[in-house]
Amino acid sequence: MTPLRIDIVSDVVCPWCIIGYRQVQMALEMLDQPVAAETWWHPFELNPNMAPEGEDTAEHIARKYGSTPEQSRANRQRLSDIGDGVGFAFNYGDGMRIYNTFNAHKLLTVFGAERGWQAQTALKMALFKAYFQERRDVSDKAVLAEIAAQQGMDATVAEAWMLDESLTQSVRSEQRQWQDENITGVPAIIFDQKFMVPGAQSAETFAGVIGKVLAKRDAA
């Protein structure tokens, strides 16, 4: 099988990130040749200055983008419909809150470095599920430690990593790196460490991009 590295700059509370990932997975199934894809996740905070208690999602969207309650509900319904189409059921509704995700990114970074892309992706999927389907507080250290434990990391080890200052600096540095590369929104999906596609494109679009990436590689 043809190897392919996929890097996704993403946030845990970004609905378009799980949609984009699912679209990429569907795109891989559309290709003429079998591809062995490795997916690596990278940190991006949509709300780096969010208060510890988070914020009501509808109020946050209204404040950030000027959306009316009706527009917010329509947007949530649209996301739910798209999610259903790619096999991910969003559990939107009144009272949902949005949170800062820095500690989640710390754990994702450790999982990737110590356990590899498959374990990192499994944790990312568990975090998406916890937030979008179970409406859990993915800024809460106890919640994150529990999710990490379900993915095979001892909870006390996970708690220690979330307090680790050197890891904080490492994740902050990587965030700055992506900002320096002019990534201001997510998902940003990078194929072969060279070709970046912004946003959650259609599966057909991603399939076309991957085909061109592989063709360029073969021609090199």
Side-chain angles (χ1 to χ4, degrees):
M1 295 179 74
T2 303
L4 176 67
R5 177 171 173 134
I6 303 171
D7 293 272
I8 305 179
V9 185
S10 161
D11 200 357
V12 171
V13 293
C14 165
W16 294 108
C17 290
I18 179 60
I19 289 171
Y21 173 74
R22 289 297 184 101
Q23 297 281 34
V24 169
Q25 296 305 299
M26 293 166 63
L28 292 168
E29 297 296 322
M30 296 178 178
L31 301 175
D32 293 333
Q33 57 182 303
V35 171
E38 293 187 0
T39 303
W40 296 86
W41 299 86
H42 302 279
F44 187 98
E45 290 175 86
L46 288 172
N47 307 292
N49 301 312
M50 180 66 70
E53 69 274 13
E55 185 178 3
D56 180 88
T57 302
E59 293 175 5
H60 174 78
I61 296 298
R63 179 177 57 79
K64 193 170 184 179
Y65 301 108
S67 302
T68 66
E70 292 75 19
Q71 288 171 325
S72 292
R73 278 192 291 271
N75 287 336
R76 290 198 297 270
Q77 185 59 54
R78 176 170 172 253
L79 282 166
S80 294
D81 292 344
I82 295 172
D84 290 343
V86 298
F88 186 87
F90 289 101
N91 182 22
Y92 281 121
D94 294 338
M96 189 169 183
R97 299 184 73 77
I98 194 164
Y99 303 99
N100 174 263
T101 52
F102 187 72
N103 281 317
H105 288 303
K106 291 179 78 171
L107 289 179
L108 285 162
T109 298
V110 171
F111 264 71
E114 291 193 344
R115 298 166 180 246
W117 70 271
Q118 290 172 311
Q120 187 191 46
T121 295
L123 176 61
K124 186 78 172 188
M125 296 304 110
L127 290 166
F128 279 138
K129 178 182 177 182
Y131 179 65
F132 285 114
Q133 298 181 339
E134 299 170 353
R135 296 201 195 180
R136 303 189 73 184
D137 180 353
V138 290
S139 69
D140 186 285
K141 289 186 176 69
V143 170
L144 291 170
E146 179 187 331
I147 294 169
Q150 291 168 352
Q151 297 300 316
M153 175 180 281
D154 186 272
T156 57
V157 173
E159 289 167 357
W161 276 121
M162 285 186 278
L163 295 172
D164 188 276
E165 185 58 30
S166 63
L167 179 59
T168 293
Q169 297 306 317
S170 177
V171 174
R172 294 285 185 216
S173 177
E174 186 178 2
Q175 288 177 318
R176 288 192 295 271
Q177 170 198 326
W178 296 115
Q179 290 167 356
D180 289 345
E181 295 189 23
N182 297 316
I183 291 176
T184 58
V186 288
I189 302 175
I190 304 157
F191 298 97
D192 232 11
Q193 297 182 286
K194 298 176 184 177
F195 307 96
M196 194 273 283
V197 179
Q201 306 295 329
S202 68
E204 290 78 10
T205 296
F206 281 129
V209 170
I210 295 169
K212 290 177 182 177
V213 168
L214 298 178
K216 284 179 179 290
R217 186 199 292 171
D218 292 342

